[in-house]
Amino acid sequence: TPALLNVLLAWMRDALASWPFGVIVATTFVLGVVAFLCPFVPGMTVYIFGGLVISNTCPPVGTDQGFWIGSWINVLMCWFLKLTACAVEQKCIGEWLGSSIWVRQQAGVHKVAIRCIESILAKPGWTVGKVAILCGGPDWPTSVMAGVLKLSLIQCEIGTIPIIGFVIPCALSGSLYLKKDEEDPIWSRSANLMIIVAVAVNMLLWAVAAWAIQNELEKHYRDLTRKLEKNIQLEWLDYREGEVSKKVVVTWFDVPAMVKFFYLFGATVHILVCHAMWWGYSYLIGDFKVS
């Protein structure tokens, strides 16, 4: 995770450490939901943070019993947190945004790829493709897109239930990280293993989702590629944008010299900063970890 995010997580963990355990769990849950509502916050960070906080504060504090009880409480809390956040994102954000024609056009709900996804997610119960998309897709965009498409909340929640298979290694990696300073290296190795398992599960879900989308297109190619009357406004907006872009063409030679200067200057600074952060990360930032 980014260094500044590590600092924030560490500060929050210390601030919550003296609170009653029930309040800590409730507060972590609320903070997790708020974090999920931010498009740029990955779910893995929330699960790891929960492991760092809850596992270390579960009574009896300082014992293996408290540690493991807290670890599994965090797993269940994060699982319910994910389901809650998906519901909020789908109903309160996605369906609200979906009322805008412009948003629907930008989201591409009339494009073949999104129509394939919609066809998969609209199926009741569990299917391999549905579970892979809902559990492996990016947290915020997936749930919000489900709302934009006006899909059934209950069916989407059912399809998200297997996310527990991804939550467990992520949450346990945060819990096991607390044991890294002990003499037995198995704790730090176990924490690293949990991260590897989580990444592997996520990659597998992405691969299965891609296969499911392609498979859905091949099975229902005619239906999914046929223009729909309900999308006529979206098709018109695409056509209008295409025609406007043909008429309004600005080449590099048409750009004023001052604009070129700021563009090149900004690009150069951006590249230099990226190189500085890559090659001089340990000197500029140090090795700060959440502990």
Side-chain angles (χ1 to χ4, degrees):
T1 55
L4 293 179
L5 183 57
N6 279 346
V7 174
L8 176 61
L9 293 177
W11 172 81
M12 291 173 62
R13 177 176 174 271
D14 290 339
L16 295 173
S18 60
W19 293 14
F21 181 66
V23 176
I24 292 176
V25 174
T27 303
T28 304
F29 178 84
V30 173
L31 291 175
V33 172
V34 173
F36 264 106
L37 297 181
C38 300
F40 52 84
V41 177
M44 180 180 290
T45 302
V46 178
Y47 306 146
I48 293 175
F49 172 67
L52 291 167
V53 174
I54 295 177
S55 301
N56 199 42
T57 55
C58 180
V61 179
T63 64
D64 288 341
Q65 179 185 359
F67 170 80
W68 286 113
I69 293 176
S71 297
W72 288 106
I73 288 176
N74 176 60
V75 168
L76 295 176
M77 188 274 295
C78 288
W79 181 48
F80 184 64
L81 164 62
K82 167 66 175 178
L83 295 176
T84 303
C86 288
V88 174
E89 290 165 350
Q90 181 174 339
K91 298 299 290 187
C92 299
I93 300 178
E95 291 193 2
W96 173 67
L97 291 176
S99 61
S100 167
I101 293 295
W102 181 82
V103 170
R104 292 177 62 81
Q105 186 237 353
Q106 294 299 312
V109 300
H110 55 305
K111 301 296 179 63
V112 174
I114 300 301
R115 288 179 62 184
C116 287
I117 294 175
E118 181 182 11
S119 177
I120 295 171
L121 297 184
K123 296 176 181 178
W126 286 346
T127 66
V128 174
K130 180 178 180 179
V131 170
I133 292 172
L134 291 174
C135 297
D139 300 290
W140 194 90
T142 302
S143 297
V144 171
M145 180 59 76
V148 171
L149 296 173
K150 301 293 191 297
L151 296 173
S152 167
L153 174 61
I154 295 178
Q155 291 301 323
C156 287
E157 290 289 274
I158 291 174
T160 309
I161 288 176
I163 191 68
I164 188 69
F166 177 71
V167 170
I168 289 176
C170 290
L172 289 181
S173 66
S175 301
L176 294 171
Y177 190 79
L178 296 170
K179 298 279 191 178
K180 72 180 185 65
D181 293 329
E182 297 190 4
E183 294 182 0
D184 193 344
I186 192 173
W187 296 109
S188 59
R189 292 174 182 173
S190 298
N192 294 333
L193 176 62
M194 289 297 101
I195 289 292
I196 294 174
V197 170
V199 173
V201 169
N202 198 47
M203 292 178 64
L204 176 63
L205 291 172
W206 271 91
V208 173
W211 166 83
I213 294 172
Q214 180 63 35
N215 186 59
E216 189 73 12
L217 178 60
E218 292 176 357
K219 285 185 175 181
H220 308 285
Y221 181 83
R222 184 183 299 273
D223 293 334
L224 293 174
T225 56
R226 179 169 52 88
K227 304 293 185 182
L228 299 179
E229 184 179 352
K230 67 177 183 179
N231 294 330
I232 188 170
Q233 288 181 293
L234 307 181
E235 300 288 354
W236 160 247
L237 290 175
D238 282 351
Y239 174 78
R240 187 180 67 178
E241 285 188 2
E243 292 300 312
V244 170
S245 64
K246 293 178 184 178
K247 302 298 181 180
V248 184
V249 179
V250 179
T251 66
W252 176 255
F253 301 101
D254 299 324
V255 178
M258 186 61 67
V259 175
K260 290 181 180 178
F261 169 77
F262 283 112
Y263 181 85
L264 293 174
F265 177 77
T268 302
V269 172
H270 187 193
I271 293 172
L272 292 176
V273 169
C274 289
H275 276 283
M277 293 298 295
W278 175 260
W279 298 108
Y281 183 87
S282 59
Y283 175 78
L284 297 172
I285 304 298
D287 189 24
F288 183 87
K289 296 181 179 180
V290 183
S291 60

